[in-house]
Amino acid sequence: MQMAAFVGSAALGCGEVRARAASARTAPAAGRRTSRRAAAALSMVTSAKPSRKMSTETSPVTLTRFIIEEGMENADLIHLKDMENLMAAIALACKKISSLVARAGLSNLTGLEEGGGSINVQGEEQKKLDVLSNEVLKNALRFSGKMGIMASEEEDKPVLVDELTSGSYIAVFDPLDGSSNIDANIATGTIFGIFEDNAECLTQDWEDRIEERELQCMYGTMQPGTNLVASGYCLYSSACMLVLTFGNGVHGFTLDPTIGEFLLTHYDMKIPEDGKIYSFNEANEANWDPVMRDMLSRWKERGYSSRYIGSMVGDVHRTLMYGGIFGYPGDKKNKTGKLRLLYEAAPMSHIIEQAGGVSTTGTERIMDLNPQAVHQRVPVILGSKNLVNEVVEAYKQAK
Ligand code: AFP
């Protein structure tokens, strides 16, 4: 029966099918037989043209397909061609890290590296999975053929990619953010940002002036967020999700474990303009400045909910999906807060702004900040436009 309806309607022109379907909707007097045929015809019109932007069972939009199609539609985004290789490398690393995280308890990968003796440049004890994830991501990027320099939260200084495999992009990343949550199976994530080449570092003839070159390359990573050509995060939680921006909107891909591919599930994500969830480590409140303390009491008076995982990727992802405000402000003990500008604050601000939200230190737009050091920390307040702008306004009034 269905087949007959399909063949019958396929013989009609599209306009005719739509007209018949429309008349079936608006003509209650029409016979049952006619309406059924018209309904079948209407479903033909919609199902014959599945949206190219969303995955379906029979036409999955993989990450690679999405980047190719975006490149064809946006000729002005010239870096998209290179992004195919780069994102394939990042997706591979995310799949590998996701699997390592999921199996950590089974394969003796919980706990501290070297039983607690391994400390990173920021004085933090490294987890086994911090070290492993860093290697996985570095290797995946190195062999993408597109990388010139990589700067990781887990490394003392930016790493130059050897010439055989090198390209000209610069990646900044936190390979496993929120890793103190790992042993309790709580959400963690990878955060990354991509800058275009630093011509000075890559084209000069440095001969044996290696230290000078290293220094120059280090400066290459110290670019403001406004120079990012791509940013993203991978969330390792009940599902593994890759959320990306190439500077024209934010798109989310969910890992389908049955085929091992990231498929487009969230096209053109937008953060709600308002929200009723605040996400801060309230234990630090006594050390916050009066503006932030006042904001917190306003949110409580309005009956907002508090949600805090202590894992930036999880907390920011929820804020993006449901609306609200996330932050790690400076306090009396740590004037610049805890989060790193290059690996956490800038890429996440890129995503939030591209989704229609706002990201600030309270007094400055994070995307505009010029890094003064590779591991620099900054206060972060980001999320729904109206909530974050209220904080910005409160800081202006307090001046
Ligand atoms: P870890 O990677 O050490 O778990 O730190 C996570 C993090 O950098 C970020 O993901 C969280 O938002 C923030 O620190 C949580 O810090 P507090 O534990 O001080 O709230």
Side-chain angles (χ1 to χ4, degrees):
M1 282 285 281
Q2 268 182 342
M3 194 57 175
F6 177 90
V7 173
S9 59
L12 303 173
C14 253
E16 201 180 340
V17 170
R18 273 197 211 101
R20 283 195 185 187
S23 86
R25 281 198 304 271
T26 54
R32 231 177 126 195
R33 206 176 141 89
T34 316
S35 336
R36 270 211 196 136
R37 281 182 60 192
L42 181 67
S43 80
M44 253 294 296
V45 173
T46 46
S47 67
K49 277 189 170 180
S51 165
R52 203 169 53 67
K53 297 295 186 192
M54 295 307 291
S55 291
T56 63
E57 281 292 325
T58 52
S59 182
V61 181
T62 60
L63 180 59
T64 311
R65 174 177 154 189
F66 180 80
I67 297 171
I68 293 171
E69 290 177 355
E70 282 290 289
M72 290 191 304
E73 281 172 22
N74 302 284
D76 51 320
L77 297 175
I78 39 176
H79 57 272
L80 272 175
K81 186 82 206 94
D82 294 330
M83 289 301 130
E84 243 174 271
N85 286 21
L86 256 173
M87 290 304 143
I90 289 176
L92 174 68
C94 290
K95 284 187 245 180
K96 184 68 196 166
I97 296 171
S98 167
S99 135
L100 288 169
V101 167
R103 301 186 59 256
L106 298 168
S107 44
N108 191 27
L109 284 176
T110 52
L112 299 169
E113 176 75 359
E114 295 171 15
S118 181
I119 311 283
N120 71 13
V121 67
Q122 293 154 87
E124 297 161 342
E125 281 195 311
Q126 289 178 302
K127 293 257 179 187
K128 287 181 194 168
L129 274 173
D130 281 324
V131 176
L132 211 51
S133 307
N134 190 39
E135 286 307 310
V136 168
L137 190 52
K138 266 194 327 186
N139 283 330
L141 284 170
R142 173 175 292 132
F143 295 109
S144 72
K146 298 289 172 193
M147 272 300 123
I149 308 166
M150 298 184 286
S152 164
E153 196 234 330
E154 299 299 335
E155 307 268 346
D156 297 2
K157 46 187 181 177
V159 183
L160 291 174
V161 176
D162 48 78
E163 274 164 24
L164 271 182
T165 48
S166 83
S168 58
Y169 284 89
I170 298 166
V172 288
F173 51 85
D174 183 348
L176 194 58
D177 189 63
S179 58
S180 56
N181 288 309
I182 281 283
D183 296 359
N185 292 332
I186 291 168
T188 51
T190 296
I191 308 172
F192 61 89
I194 309 286
F195 292 110
E196 270 176 312
D197 64 333
N198 168 25
E200 272 181 71
C201 156
L202 298 165
T203 55
Q204 285 203 34
D205 178 13
W206 294 100
E207 293 178 351
D208 53 358
R209 294 175 297 146
I210 294 300
E211 278 182 17
E212 208 180 319
R213 181 181 181 208
E214 269 184 4
L215 204 64
Q216 194 62 50
C217 293
M218 180 144 23
Y219 289 134
T221 62
M222 286 165 33
Q223 304 191 37
T226 45
N227 285 2
L228 285 163
V229 292
S231 300
Y233 61 78
C234 196
L235 171 70
Y236 310 115
S237 186
S238 50
C240 175
M241 220 182 140
L242 188 54
V243 175
L244 300 170
T245 182
F246 301 114
N248 66 335
V250 176
H251 312 290
F253 300 80
T254 304
L255 180 63
D256 180 343
T258 62
I259 56 171
E261 287 277 359
F262 279 105
L263 303 182
L264 181 66
T265 47
H266 297 66
Y267 177 69
D268 199 15
M269 299 171 84
K270 292 286 175 224
I271 181 168
E273 288 188 3
D274 264 309
K276 293 185 172 177
I277 302 173
Y278 65 87
S279 184
F280 289 71
N281 186 341
E282 277 186 73
N284 297 332
E285 187 202 347
N287 290 324
W288 290 352
D289 62 30
V291 173
M292 281 316 300
R293 290 213 306 274
D294 179 52
M295 288 309 308
L296 183 64
S297 45
R298 282 195 222 177
W299 298 328
K300 285 182 175 171
E301 273 161 29
R302 290 177 200 160
Y304 288 6
S305 292
S306 166
R307 296 281 184 276
Y308 189 71
I309 305 170
S311 190
M312 188 184 192
V313 176
D315 283 318
V316 170
H317 186 65
R318 186 200 50 249
T319 307
L320 173 60
M321 298 290 293
Y322 299 164
I325 186 162
F326 163 85
Y328 207 109
D331 59 42
K332 277 185 208 152
K333 283 195 277 177
N334 304 302
K335 293 249 173 303
T336 51
K338 178 180 180 189
L339 304 177
R340 267 68 40 137
L341 173 56
L342 276 175
Y343 320 111
E344 296 171 308
M348 286 305 206
S349 301
H350 194 199
I351 296 223
I352 288 295
E353 286 196 1
Q354 283 291 318
V358 175
S359 180
T360 176
T361 62
T363 53
E364 286 171 287
R365 180 184 172 219
I366 287 179
M367 292 289 279
D368 284 334
L369 297 178
N370 268 305
Q372 303 301 309
V374 183
H375 297 289
Q376 181 180 340
R377 297 173 195 259
V378 282
V380 174
I381 297 155
L382 58 78
S384 293
K385 191 166 92 179
N386 295 342
L387 288 184
V388 181
N389 279 343
E390 200 183 347
V391 177
V392 172
E393 199 46 45
Y395 271 106
K396 274 190 201 151
Q397 298 293 327
K399 264 192 183 171

